[in-house]
Amino acid sequence: MKSVHRKMTDEVKLYGFPGSPFGCRVETALKLKGIKYEFIQEDLSNKSADLLKYNPVHKKIPVLVHNGNPIAESVVIIEYIDDIWKEVPILPQDAYEKAQARFWAKFIDDKCIPAIYNSYGNVEAVAEATEPLQFLENELNVKGKKFFGGDNIGLVDICACYMAFWVGAAEEALGIKIMTKEKFPKLKKWCDSYINCQVVKDSLPPRESLVAYYKWRFGKAE
Amino acid sequence: MSDIVKLYAFRGSPYSCRPEIALKLKGVKYEFIQEDLKNKSADLIKYNPVNKKVPVLVHNGNPISESVVILEYIDEVWKGVPILPQDAYEKAQARFWARFVDDKCIPAVFKAMVSRGEEQAVAEAHVQMQFLENELKAEGKKFFGGDNVGLVDICASYMALWVGAAEEALGIKLMPKDKFPKLIEWSDNYINCPAVKDGLPPRETVVGIYKTL
């Protein structure tokens, strides 16, 4: 398919925020494909005029601006990146495998992340938080591969960065256990493999900042 | 090779109608299996063990769940009458608006319905609907998909039929013509497309469902 938007020098900007798992997704996708981009850090309490212009509907990060054209919503952005830059594919080629990847990406966003987030500062909700994770554990079990994407990272791995990094930081900050090795051996192994990929390492925020943030946001007042 | 296509769905659900419309648009033969949502079949649970919901498309024994995932799958497998744009940027915009309909628009409108037209809930629904109204205005198109029905139109079936049915059943105003002239015009055009008409449930069915709310 002709990449109508590729120019001699593509101009790629990413409006984001370093602690955001959704921004991290997009950065991982860009780095995976070796795409040069400018990162524009937003102050979420004082959003720039540009961000509001590029994402008037949600006024949120991340927003990718490719040759002046804005795209919002992390999964929409990743699919766009995959459509335009063909090297190192993120989605499977096969239509059925692609549908499965999209299904799991949606499951992570609709079920996993909200349930986990709900459990911060709410101990009773921890059991509910682990229920959706069991499906991801089973998926890894059944697939028997290193990543959700197979031998290489794919859409689902990228979307699950929250589980790989953010959850551990929250567990440490709040003294809670959501993703135990006993209950989720495959997921824990996957987390290690995932965050040790160079492009992922390069996209993650410093762990201490995240731990400090969670302590401040959800920690019990002294 | 003859494809075997089955659709596990519930006639009356705005999500179930989406794959039906897509299949009819592309002239794909399929078997419709009506689920009793209070007593879901063993097959449905087998094919969608994660969410246990309709719709589920089963293509040659392979199940796909989640209405928008199903729509994209249908578009990739059956190439005639495209539902998504060819251009990568246009495709991204279509996906963005489909998500907006599901994540923001429908929940706000549903809240307004359930509150029986409470002022604040309706005002919030209107905020979301205004984005769709503006999108139709800005592009000056007959459909969100352009000259023909596309992904966003199919996802917005809820606005075209369910909103009007709720207005009738509950005696409330959700989409006034003076505020949303483009949306109203689009609704008329959309529900009168042959494939769409065939894929939507009868209006009385939906009115009936809302009357029991």
Side-chain angles (χ1 to χ4, degrees), chain B residues 7-25 30 32 34 54-56 67 70-71 74 83 106 153-162 190-191 195-202 206:
Chain B
L7 180 65
Y8 291 78
F10 180 77
R11 267 210 183 104
S13 153
Y15 301 98
S16 281
C17 78
R18 293 172 177 184
E20 270 213 276
I21 291 168
L23 291 166
K24 286 189 191 292
L25 268 169
Y30 63 98
F32 182 94
Q34 172 88 343
V54 291
V56 178
S67 61
I70 297 172
L71 289 175
I74 289 171
I83 290 171
I106 292 180
D153 302 276
I154 297 174
C155 290
S157 297
Y158 184 84
M159 306 306 296
L161 179 70
W162 277 260
Y190 179 66
I191 63 177
V196 174
K197 230 192 263 201
D198 288 343
L200 289 174
V206 185

Side-chain angles (χ1 to χ4, degrees), chain B residues 58-210:
Chain B
V58 183
H59 181 208
N60 296 333
N62 298 317
I64 305 109
S65 310
E66 293 296 315
S67 61
V68 181
V69 177
I70 297 172
L71 289 175
E72 291 236 32
Y73 176 81
I74 289 171
D75 206 40
E76 272 163 35
V77 173
W78 291 279
K79 295 289 182 197
V81 188
I83 290 171
L84 272 101
Q86 280 289 89
D87 175 75
Y89 187 71
E90 296 299 319
K91 207 184 286 197
Q93 296 314 299
R95 287 175 174 146
F96 171 86
W97 286 112
R99 271 174 184 259
F100 173 76
V101 168
D102 278 351
D103 293 351
K104 290 276 145 86
C105 214
I106 292 180
V109 174
F110 182 72
K111 228 175 164 179
M113 283 179 190
V114 157
S115 77
R116 293 245 183 308
E118 187 268 318
E119 204 177 318
Q120 181 61 31
V122 171
E124 278 169 31
H126 282 182
V127 167
Q128 306 305 334
M129 285 159 61
Q130 194 61 49
F131 286 113
L132 292 184
E133 178 75 12
N134 295 348
E135 183 63 9
L136 284 168
K137 221 183 280 183
E139 304 292 317
K141 303 178 291 206
K142 190 177 182 189
F143 299 110
F144 291 102
D147 295 323
N148 300 301
V149 160
L151 178 76
V152 183
D153 302 276
I154 297 174
C155 290
S157 297
Y158 184 84
M159 306 306 296
L161 179 70
W162 277 260
V163 167
E167 288 178 326
E168 185 183 319
L170 308 171
I172 56 177
K173 231 3 178 163
L174 291 166
M175 206 157 80
K177 196 170 184 169
D178 53 336
K179 266 204 114 180
F180 303 103
K182 290 282 176 205
L183 265 175
I184 297 281
E185 195 187 343
W186 164 82
S187 297
D188 283 336
N189 287 330
Y190 179 66
I191 63 177
N192 282 305
C193 295
V196 174
K197 230 192 263 201
D198 288 343
L200 289 174
R203 194 190 153 92
E204 317 85 65
T205 306
V206 185
V207 173
I209 292 173
Y210 280 134

Side-chain angles (χ1 to χ4, degrees), chain A residues 4-5 70 96 102 106 111, chain B residues 51 63 66 76 87 89 95:
Chain A
V4 290
H5 292 284
Y96 185 71
R102 286 175 176 146
K106 194 169 204 307
K111 297 276 149 81
Chain B
N51 295 320
E66 293 296 315
E76 272 163 35
D87 175 75
Y89 187 71
R95 287 175 174 146

Side-chain angles (χ1 to χ4, degrees), chain A residues 189-204:
Chain A
K189 194 167 174 209
W190 167 83
C191 288
D192 284 336
S193 300
Y194 185 69
I195 61 175
N196 279 306
C197 296
Q198 195 56 54
V199 292
V200 176
K201 253 193 250 196
D202 292 343
S203 316
L204 294 172

